[in-house]
Amino acid sequence: MKIAVAKYAVGNPADFEAFAARQRQILREACGAGVELAVLPEYLSLELASTFAPEISRDLNASLAALQTLQSEWLALYADLSRELRLVIQAGTFLTEVAPGRYRNRAWWFAPDGTRGYQDKLQLTGFERDAGVIEGGDELKVFDLAGVRAGIAICYDSEFPLPVRAQREAGARLLLVPSCTDTQAGATRVRVGCMARALENRIFVAQAVTTGTADWSPALDTNTGEATIYAPMDHGFPDDGILATTRGGQTWAIADLDIDALERHRAQAQVAVDLDWDGQKAPAFRQARHS
């Protein structure tokens, strides 16, 4: 399975059609490389806030409310591109109103046959909590994407091992991580989380990122990181766990994933955290004793 993860330079589109034209362009580039699944970053849809007046785009609450008027067009755009390009698309996230003035950070995926689904972000960052209008999700899902069972862990969620372990136990062998970080420390935390989830679960992890600056947006103001596809650090895979990563101005990191190899290499694994997982649940290990 050939996949691509985006390092997406945040722009300032004048209107929805300008936004849509750019999505068509970059996704056609991925399609031209023979990709079956493309992953876009968290908060990408907030780029659309620039299409509103400055008093709206510079105010998070006002921009979230205004964006709801574009949600049906946004959903239709990626559904149409998925069908047209015969490409599974994980379209980053759209902060979706679930009750008056209450939003969830929702990661949508689209398949060429017209099916679609989503995973809500479970854990909120300090920024999201402080906004006062964003709430965490209450359901953990896995999906079948292009013949591979996958889960989604939105940015901060990738730093928590237990939900991802539950996705792995539900059959996920690929974890999609749409992310958006504004500091090098934040980018490192998500990168380390992705590597840890790949190691302990023997799965592939595909992280998309935003990059650049958008001084008109309180959420997309500064962005950093590299889009990367991770594998377990073991026999048959790169020693550093990195299958592909962006450099400089690259938009896409692309890699072929051998899902069957994840199972084939289990018997010859140098370490088998996925198989030894339950060992840490021993009663004696649940509480440390000071001696």
Side-chain angles (χ1 to χ4, degrees):
M1 180 188 192
K2 195 170 190 178
I3 72 168
V5 290
K7 179 182 180 181
Y8 185 91
V10 177
N12 189 13
D15 51 31
F16 185 88
E17 186 47 48
F19 173 87
R22 186 176 179 202
Q23 304 311 301
R24 293 187 192 100
Q25 175 191 350
I26 65 170
L27 288 168
R28 284 173 179 161
E29 290 174 4
C31 185
V35 166
E36 298 170 73
L37 166 64
V39 185
L40 296 170
E42 181 186 31
Y43 285 164
L44 183 153
S45 61
L46 286 178
E47 195 181 62
L48 284 166
S50 71
T51 66
F52 300 107
E55 60 268 23
I56 295 176
S57 64
R58 295 181 183 278
D59 182 290
L60 181 63
N61 290 357
S63 62
L64 295 183
L67 282 171
Q68 305 312 301
T69 65
L70 298 177
Q71 185 177 38
S72 60
E73 290 179 82
W74 186 89
L75 290 168
L77 169 66
Y78 290 106
D80 290 346
L81 284 171
S82 178
R83 283 192 295 267
E84 173 192 335
L85 301 175
R86 308 303 300 168
L87 177 68
V88 177
I89 301 170
Q90 198 293 295
T93 68
F94 194 106
L95 280 151
T96 300
E97 190 171 41
V98 293
R102 302 295 298 175
Y103 304 89
R104 288 190 181 180
N105 194 1
R106 183 161 289 177
W108 284 92
W109 59 267
F110 303 84
D113 65 2
T115 58
R116 66 178 72 172
Y118 65 83
Q119 172 68 57
D120 288 335
K121 190 172 188 176
L122 305 178
Q123 299 283 350
L124 302 185
T125 64
F127 169 80
E128 289 166 329
R129 286 195 302 272
D130 291 345
V133 296
I134 302 173
E135 61 182 52
D138 55 11
E139 187 176 8
L140 187 63
K141 304 177 183 181
V142 294
F143 316 93
D144 290 318
L145 304 178
V148 175
R149 185 157 295 182
I152 299 173
I154 303 169
C155 200
Y156 191 34
D157 284 345
S158 68
E159 299 175 37
F160 292 85
L162 296 184
V164 176
R165 181 65 186 184
Q167 291 170 311
R168 199 263 186 225
E169 291 177 348
R173 296 298 181 267
L174 172 61
L175 184 70
L176 310 183
V177 182
S179 70
C180 175
T181 57
D182 61 356
T183 66
Q184 287 294 337
T188 298
R189 287 192 295 268
V190 178
R191 176 174 58 84
V192 170
C194 289
M195 296 183 79
R197 304 297 80 80
L199 164 68
E200 68 201 14
N201 293 296
R202 195 176 304 276
I203 59 175
F204 295 113
V205 180
Q207 180 197 3
V209 303
T210 50
T211 188
T213 58
D215 58 8
W216 50 267
S217 170
L220 291 174
D221 49 353
T222 305
N223 304 270
T224 189
E226 297 291 346
T228 306
I229 301 169
Y230 303 92
M233 309 84 184
D234 214 321
H235 289 310
F237 301 108
D239 291 339
D240 62 1
I242 295 176
L243 290 172
T245 190
T246 52
R247 292 283 186 267
Q250 284 181 289
T251 298
W252 295 107
I254 298 173
D256 279 302
L257 305 186
D258 187 347
I259 302 297
D260 292 337
L262 293 173
E263 303 302 328
R264 288 199 307 269
H265 289 105
R266 292 177 87 189
Q268 295 84 34
Q270 294 171 316
V271 295
V273 181
D274 56 325
L275 298 179
D276 295 333
W277 183 264
D278 287 341
Q280 66 187 314
K281 299 178 182 178
F285 302 160
R286 293 179 182 174
Q287 186 172 358
R289 180 173 59 88
H290 180 256
S291 59

